[in-house]
Amino acid sequence: MTVITTDFRAGLAIAPLRTLPAPQYYAVRLTAGVLAGSTILFCLWAMPALAETAPNAAYLHLPHTQPNAPQTSTTPEEVTGSRIITPTPAPATSRTPHPGFWDGNRLLPPLTSRPEAYGQPQALELKPLPTALMHQGPWGVFNANTGAAAGFGTVGYYAVSRWAEDWSSLRDKRNRLDAMDALKYIPFNTKGDIYLTLSGNFRQHNFYDQRAGFGATKKDPAYRNNFRWNLGGDLHLGEHVRFYGELMSGQAAGVNYYGYAGGRWRSKLDAQQAFVEVRGKVLGATVGGMAGRMTFLDAPPYVTAGSVYPSLPYSWNGLRGYAFWKNFRIDGFYLTLTNNAPVTPFHDQVGWNSRLFGAYTSYAVPSFKFMGRNSQIFVDTFYLGMLLSSSSLPTMAGGSIAGSTHRDTPGMRIWGNAGPLEFSIGGMWQGGEFRAAKDGPTRPVSAYAIDATLSWRFAKWPGHPAIGIQVDDVSGGNMNKSQTSTWGSFLSPFVPSAYYLDMSTYLGQSNLIDVGPIATITPTSNTTLLLKVPAVWRNNREDAVYANGTAFYAYRPHGTYTATIPQASFTWRATRHITLGIDGEYIFASRSMIHAGASSGAFVQSNIELTF
C-alpha cells in the first residue's frame, strides 16, 4: 500500500492470485439455479398462501392472541431463541393498531435492527418482541442486542448477514404480516422442514465531500454516488443442513469523484456468498460448521463491522465452526479475503493475500435486576490473527516502506447494561512482525488499543435518550527509530463501521486518541438520531495520521491534536421495507494539520435502502 494521496479510501489492494475452487464454483451454480427456479415455485405457491395469511394474529407467537386481547410479556430469562417458554400476563392494550403501508407502531421492526446501525452504541433490546417482528436463531440469551452477541451481526427483522435470519416461524401462516412473507418460507415437503427463503436488497448512497480527506484528494467539492443490489437464497434441507448463496453487484459514479479504485466500489455480478452449513446437538450445545464464501462479523464493532461503504462488504472464504451452550459460546475460523478486482462477471477469486484466523468466546453473566431494570452483561475473550502480504509503514519524509505483516491480537471486551448504564469496554494487545519488501529488515510489533463507550439511558424522558461518552486510545509507532526497532502502531485493516468513530471514514483506528460526548435518541417510534462530537489527537507525534489501518496521509504535522468532528445521523424507517437516512459531519482540522497542508471540510451522505 502506498502513501495515501487521491485514492485514500481504496482500502487493501489485492492482486488476482487464484481462481474459485471447484466446490465453490458448483455451489455458486447450485445457488443460482435455486434462485431462478424459486421464482416459478413462488408463482404457483404465493396466491393460496396469501389467502390464508392473518396479519393481526401475528402479534405474538405461541400463544396467538387477538390484537385487542391481553398480551404477554417476558424477560430475557424466559426466551430461548424465538420461542416463548413461560409467558406472564401483561396489561391489555387500549387501542388496536391496524396494519398498513405506513406502519409506525406494531408492525415495524425495531430501529436497532437496521443493519447499517451495527457500529452504533450497542444498547441491549431487553424487551423481547414477537417472532413475527424478530427473526433470530435459537441462540437464547445471545439474541440480546438484536443478536449481535451471537456473533453473526445484528439480526432483527432483517440482518446484516441475511443468512443469519430465521424465518421458520412462518410455518404458522398466522405469523405472516405482508405479501413479501410469501418469499420467506417456501416449503417443499409436508413436514415443512425443507424450505427456501429468498432475500434481496437495493441500496444507494449519495455523498458530498468538501475537501475530502483533509484536502488530500484535490477534488473540491466531490459529488459521488454508489449503489448495490443483491439477491440471496437460503435452502434448508431438514434440521441439520442448509445451502446459502448470494449474488451481488455494485456500481459507483458522480461528478469530480475520487476513490473508486479496486473491486469493492465497482463490481459486476458475482457470488458474494456461497456456503454449506451443518448444525446439530453435541454435548448439550448447538454446534455448527460452515464452509465456503461468507460474511464474518464475530468481532467488536471497532474492529470490523457491516462495511457501510464501499458498495460491496467484505466477503471471506474458508471454514468456521461454532458451539452455543446456555451461557457460553465459542467460534473458531480460518478465512481469506475475497479478491473482487476481476471485472468479468463470476470471476471473483479466493484472495490469499489477506487472511483472518482465530477464536472468539463469550460468556453471558446470569441476568439480574439493577435499579428496577433487567440487566445483562457479556464477557468476551478472543484471539485474532492476521496475515497481509501487502502492507506498508510511513516515513518521516512523507513516503512509505512497502512490505508484509503478521499480527497476533488477543483481546477482551466487557459490555452490556447494568440497569440504565449501557457500556462497552475493550482492550487488545497486538504482536507480530513487519517484513520489508525485497528481503528488507524485519521489525517486531508491540501495540495496543483501548475502546470504550459509556451511556446512561433516560428511559422516562421523551425520546428515551442514552447520553454518554466515547473514548478510544490506539497506539502509534515511531518513524524516527531504526528499521529494525519495535513498531508500535496498532493495525486494524478491516475498517470498522463508519458509525463507530468517523462517518466520513477520513480517520482510521490507528495512532489516535479520541474523546467526546455521544447520544442516541428516538424522537418517534420509527426514527432515530445519533449525535457525537469526538476530539481527536495522534497517540504518537512521531507517527502519521491514518485514513484507515493500511493507508496514511502524507501530512506530517508537528502537534498531536488532529481535529474535532461534530457528527449527526438521522434514520427514518418508513416501512419495514424502506429505510431513509441522512448523515453529516464537519471536520475542523487543527492548526497544526492546516500548517502541514491539510484543510477543514464538510461531509454529507444520504441513504435509501429497499429490502425484502
Side-chain angles (χ1 to χ4, degrees):
M1 175 60 67
T2 59
V3 176
I4 184 162
T5 54
T6 58
D7 292 337
F8 70 96
R9 292 163 81 177
L12 189 63
I14 305 171
L17 291 176
R18 184 175 175 182
T19 57
L20 196 66
Q24 293 188 24
Y25 171 74
Y26 288 113
V28 171
R29 295 191 62 181
L30 172 63
T31 304
V34 168
L35 295 175
S38 62
T39 304
I40 299 173
L41 292 170
F42 166 65
C43 294
L44 298 175
W45 179 84
M47 292 309 296
L50 289 174
E52 297 178 14
T53 299
N56 286 339
Y59 187 63
L60 280 179
H61 178 56
L62 294 177
H64 292 288
T65 61
Q66 298 298 324
N68 56 354
Q71 306 299 330
T72 65
S73 65
T74 62
T75 66
E77 296 87 347
E78 297 169 333
V79 177
T80 301
S82 59
R83 185 178 59 178
I84 297 176
I85 303 298
T86 311
T88 58
T93 57
S94 58
R95 180 175 178 270
T96 303
H98 297 284
F101 187 77
W102 300 103
D103 297 317
N105 296 308
R106 174 173 63 84
L107 296 182
L108 277 177
L111 280 159
T112 49
S113 70
R114 176 192 176 203
E116 291 187 354
Y118 178 78
Q120 292 188 19
Q122 296 187 1
L124 295 176
E125 283 291 329
L126 291 176
K127 181 180 179 181
L129 292 169
T131 56
L133 297 185
M134 298 287 280
H135 299 283
Q136 301 174 329
W139 312 128
V141 68
F142 294 101
N143 280 331
N145 187 33
T146 56
F152 304 125
T154 54
V155 186
Y157 194 81
Y158 299 123
V160 179
S161 300
R162 303 303 303 274
W163 50 264
E165 300 165 5
D166 183 355
W167 295 85
S168 59
S169 65
L170 295 185
R171 295 179 188 179
D172 189 329
K173 294 183 174 62
R174 291 176 295 175
N175 277 337
R176 298 178 184 171
L177 298 179
D178 64 21
M180 300 305 292
D181 284 348
L183 299 173
K184 296 303 180 182
Y185 179 72
I186 305 174
F188 297 113
N189 64 344
T190 55
K191 185 179 178 181
D193 61 347
I194 300 178
Y195 65 94
L196 176 69
T197 294
L198 298 179
S199 61
N201 173 268
F202 172 83
R203 190 196 77 175
Q204 179 167 348
H205 285 173
N206 302 287
F207 306 93
Y208 166 80
D209 294 91
Q210 181 191 40
R211 299 172 184 171
F214 293 93
T217 67
K218 309 303 179 185
K219 302 286 187 177
D220 183 20
Y223 300 90
R224 300 175 297 136
N225 61 75
N226 75 303
F227 70 87
R228 76 175 184 216
W229 66 266
N230 61 281
L231 181 64
D234 192 1
L235 179 61
H236 292 253
L237 301 178
E239 181 182 354
H240 303 294
V241 180
R242 69 153 167 181
F243 292 89
Y244 181 82
E246 183 175 282
L247 304 178
M248 184 174 288
S249 176
Q251 296 297 326
V255 177
N256 204 31
Y257 61 80
Y258 66 92
Y260 289 155
R264 293 185 57 222
W265 284 100
R266 292 171 170 157
S267 179
K268 294 184 178 179
L269 187 65
D270 219 309
Q272 177 72 5
Q273 301 186 73
F275 65 84
V276 59
E277 179 181 14
V278 179
R279 182 192 300 177
K281 289 285 188 179
V282 178
L283 299 176
T286 299
V287 177
M290 303 165 64
R293 179 171 295 176
M294 66 196 77
T295 54
F296 180 80
L297 294 171
D298 200 3
Y302 43 81
V303 175
T304 188
S307 188
V308 179
Y309 8 91
S311 309
L312 272 62
Y314 291 115
S315 175
W316 300 88
N317 307 271
L319 301 173
R320 179 179 187 177
Y322 58 83
F324 284 81
W325 286 267
K326 180 180 179 181
N327 286 82
F328 180 78
R329 72 172 181 90
I330 185 169
D331 185 7
F333 46 90
Y334 190 95
L335 305 166
T336 65
L337 190 64
T338 302
N339 176 16
N340 316 92
V343 296
T344 307
F346 296 104
H347 276 70
D348 283 359
Q349 301 168 353
V350 175
W352 299 98
N353 272 2
S354 303
R355 308 185 192 188
L356 176 66
F357 51 91
Y360 200 100
T361 72
S362 183
Y363 171 69
V365 176
S367 303
F368 60 96
K369 279 188 176 290
F370 179 69
M371 296 183 67
R373 288 190 55 188
N374 294 325
S375 304
Q376 182 66 64
I377 295 174
F378 296 92
V379 180
D380 300 351
T381 57
F382 54 88
Y383 162 77
L384 302 175
M386 292 174 282
L387 291 172
L388 282 72
S389 65
S390 178
S391 182
S392 59
L393 301 185
T395 64
M396 187 58 73
S400 65
I401 303 172
S404 61
T405 191
H406 166 216
R407 299 292 177 102
D408 298 302
T409 311
M412 185 174 185
R413 180 188 182 207
I414 302 175
W415 65 286
N417 84 300
L421 184 65
E422 300 170 359
F423 63 92
S424 170
I425 303 172
M428 295 175 283
W429 177 83
Q430 193 169 78
E433 62 183 14
F434 170 81
R435 292 178 177 269
K438 299 180 180 179
D439 297 322
T442 297
R443 303 181 69 167
V445 171
S446 179
Y448 69 87
I450 300 172
D451 305 271
T453 57
L454 184 68
S455 297
W456 189 276
R457 177 72 63 179
F458 296 90
K460 296 183 179 180
W461 289 16
H464 315 294
I467 301 174
I469 189 171
Q470 177 175 331
V471 179
D472 300 280
D473 181 4
V474 186
S475 67
N478 190 328
M479 297 179 290
N480 287 322
K481 288 187 175 182
S482 73
Q483 293 191 23
T484 58
S485 64
T486 299
W487 182 248
S489 186
F490 189 88
L491 177 65
S492 183
F494 311 117
V495 184
S497 170
Y499 294 101
Y500 181 75
L501 173 64
D502 170 26
M503 294 175 188
S504 69
T505 66
Y506 294 164
L507 287 172
Q509 290 282 91
S510 294
N511 189 36
L512 66 80
I513 296 173
D514 70 85
V515 59
I518 185 169
T520 56
I521 308 168
T522 55
T524 68
S525 60
N526 62 340
T527 60
T528 186
L529 178 64
L530 169 67
L531 302 170
K532 59 197 308 183
V533 189
V536 183
W537 294 262
R538 283 184 295 158
N539 181 292
N540 190 334
R541 71 170 64 235
E542 307 303 326
D543 197 0
V545 178
Y546 287 77
N548 61 53
T550 59
F552 37 83
Y553 295 101
Y555 307 125
R556 296 295 180 263
H558 293 293
T560 57
Y561 171 52
T562 304
T564 297
I565 313 175
Q567 307 170 53
S569 173
F570 179 77
T571 301
W572 173 34
R573 176 154 274 175
T575 75
R576 67 170 52 85
H577 305 293
I578 303 173
T579 302
L580 305 173
I582 185 166
D583 308 326
E585 69 179 33
Y586 194 88
I587 300 90
F588 291 96
S590 69
R591 182 177 300 179
S592 178
M593 285 285 288
I594 292 174
H595 286 170
S599 302
S600 300
F603 170 83
V604 180
Q605 171 191 318
S606 63
N607 318 299
I608 181 170
E609 190 160 3
L610 311 176
T611 308
F612 76 87

